[in-house]
Amino acid sequence: MSSPETPSPEISSPDLPGTSSPDPGHGAAAPGAPAPPAGDHTRGGADPAHDVLGPGYELTVLPMADDEEGKVVATLVRRRAAAPARGAVLYVHGFTDYFFQTHLAEHFAARGLDFYALDLRKYGRSLLPHQTRGFVRSVTEYFPEIDEAVRIVRERDGHRTVVLNAHSTGGLVTALWADRVRGRGLVQGLMLNSPFLDLNVPAPLRIAADLLKGPMARMPRRAVLPLGTATAYGASLHRDHHGEWDFDLGWKPIGGFPVHAAWLAAIRRAQRRLHAGLRVDVPVLVLCAARGLRLRDFAPEAQAADVVLDPEQIAHWATRIGHHVTCVRVAGGVHDLALSAEPVRKQVFTEMDRWLTCYI
């Protein structure tokens, strides 16, 4: 393609451990979360239907095998380029998240790339009434929907060049997925936005999490870790608080989702697997903020730092993903770099365009 401070010891963030309310148990979306439009979903491989984002955005529902909670779906959103596309970008979101970043889609579409975004099982458009928000017992549970999304992009829509663009937990998941499918030519590159490569806690707590990951993995689905509430990140983003972005607070609450013990054990197993070294065989771009900061409540500093993850950890572990990794630190960036202040996100988009031009 061509172009187109030292953290405190407590664990708390809206993207990982912050929780705004007790887990509703057999969880559904928070009150007021919009349901996907009834009768307006199409099955994988069929023509897409209209998405809640409005004109130009289409969705396809991807039926998945049932899990311990019952029926499971994922959702693929598409934004076509105006001219015949010369490739595709597939976006995968993080924890307490879903796809709403239309400016990201428009950026790539304007550069002749069809844009796709995957709402993973139990998030956003894919969250069903009987499900526990964001809950899985292994990150490999996400692999079938990534498999199917890539199949649709390649086979239904005819793209030979596909680049994954993933944020936070999505970055961890897609790195492991890409390692699993290496040698098959399914994707040609990874662009990872603040990937969740380690727990942002002091070393003794990380060791404790490793020692307890076995017992935590076996805990009941409703077992929630008492990690408190952190609203700094969410409040720094949403336009009704201190930010500029409009997103659904049922699908992405300010205080985050409850963190289940079994889910955190799954994340830690995935991180340890990455730390041991993956062999992703395509070029990888890792973007992260220049500065990390731990805050529970909003302060102006939250609008120019990653208050969820530690960028030093991200940069440290990035080269464990594969043999061809480019790491860029972004001054003034927030956790989701695409949601940073306008001059900063412009730099982020420039870095992605430059990397695509050089390597894809």
Side-chain angles (χ1 to χ4, degrees), residues 165-190:
N165 178 203
H167 170 56
S168 198
T169 303
L172 173 64
V173 173
T174 56
L176 282 117
W177 178 87
D179 182 65
R180 180 178 69 94
V181 302
R182 65 180 180 269
R184 295 168 56 186
L186 295 179
V187 295
Q188 283 60 59
L190 276 68

Side-chain angles (χ1 to χ4, degrees), residues 209-231:
D210 288 339
L211 292 174
L212 294 172
K213 67 179 183 292
M216 286 196 300
R218 296 186 292 271
M219 293 182 73
R221 183 176 65 251
R222 296 188 184 189
V224 174
L225 298 175
L227 301 174
T229 302
T231 60

Side-chain angles (χ1 to χ4, degrees), residues 3-15:
S3 334
E5 271 126 46
T6 303
S8 61
E10 69 269 17
I11 309 175
S12 120
S13 88
D15 193 60

Side-chain angles (χ1 to χ4, degrees), residues 134-150:
F135 180 80
V136 293
R137 292 190 182 273
S138 170
V139 300
T140 61
E141 293 181 41
Y142 297 124
F143 288 0
E145 51 249 57
I146 302 176
D147 289 340
E148 180 63 3
V150 171

Side-chain angles (χ1 to χ4, degrees), residues 324-335:
H324 188 159
V325 178
T326 303
C327 184
V328 177
R329 304 289 293 272
V330 181
V334 300
H335 179 53

Side-chain angles (χ1 to χ4, degrees), residues 28-178:
D40 201 26
H41 284 191
T42 58
R43 299 290 175 171
D47 290 335
H50 297 298
D51 183 59
V52 295
L53 292 175
Y57 290 87
E58 308 163 305
L59 68 80
T60 301
V61 172
L62 313 180
M64 297 287 115
D66 292 358
D67 71 358
E68 64 182 281
E69 295 188 306
K71 181 180 178 181
V72 175
V73 300
T75 310
L76 186 65
V77 178
R78 180 175 70 181
R79 173 68 169 92
R80 291 177 183 262
R86 52 193 178 79
V89 173
L90 173 60
Y91 177 82
V92 182
H93 60 81
F95 186 63
T96 308
D97 209 356
Y98 72 101
F99 172 65
F100 64 92
Q101 298 90 335
T102 55
H103 65 295
L104 182 66
E106 299 302 326
H107 173 84
F108 288 118
R111 282 150 182 77
L113 301 171
D114 281 350
F115 181 89
Y116 301 79
L118 182 62
D119 272 14
L120 298 167
R121 61 185 64 201
K122 306 182 184 182
Y123 289 98
R125 300 161 180 83
S126 306
L127 180 64
L128 301 177
H130 62 278
Q131 292 179 323
T132 304
R133 296 177 291 175
F135 180 80
V136 293
R137 292 190 182 273
S138 170
V139 300
T140 61
E141 293 181 41
Y142 297 124
F143 288 0
E145 51 249 57
I146 302 176
D147 289 340
E148 180 63 3
V150 171
R151 185 196 68 78
I152 289 172
V153 172
R154 298 186 69 87
E155 296 181 12
R156 184 191 73 183
D157 293 356
H159 290 293
R160 295 184 178 181
T161 300
V162 181
V163 175
L164 294 180
N165 178 203
H167 170 56
S168 198
T169 303
L172 173 64
V173 173
T174 56
L176 282 117
W177 178 87

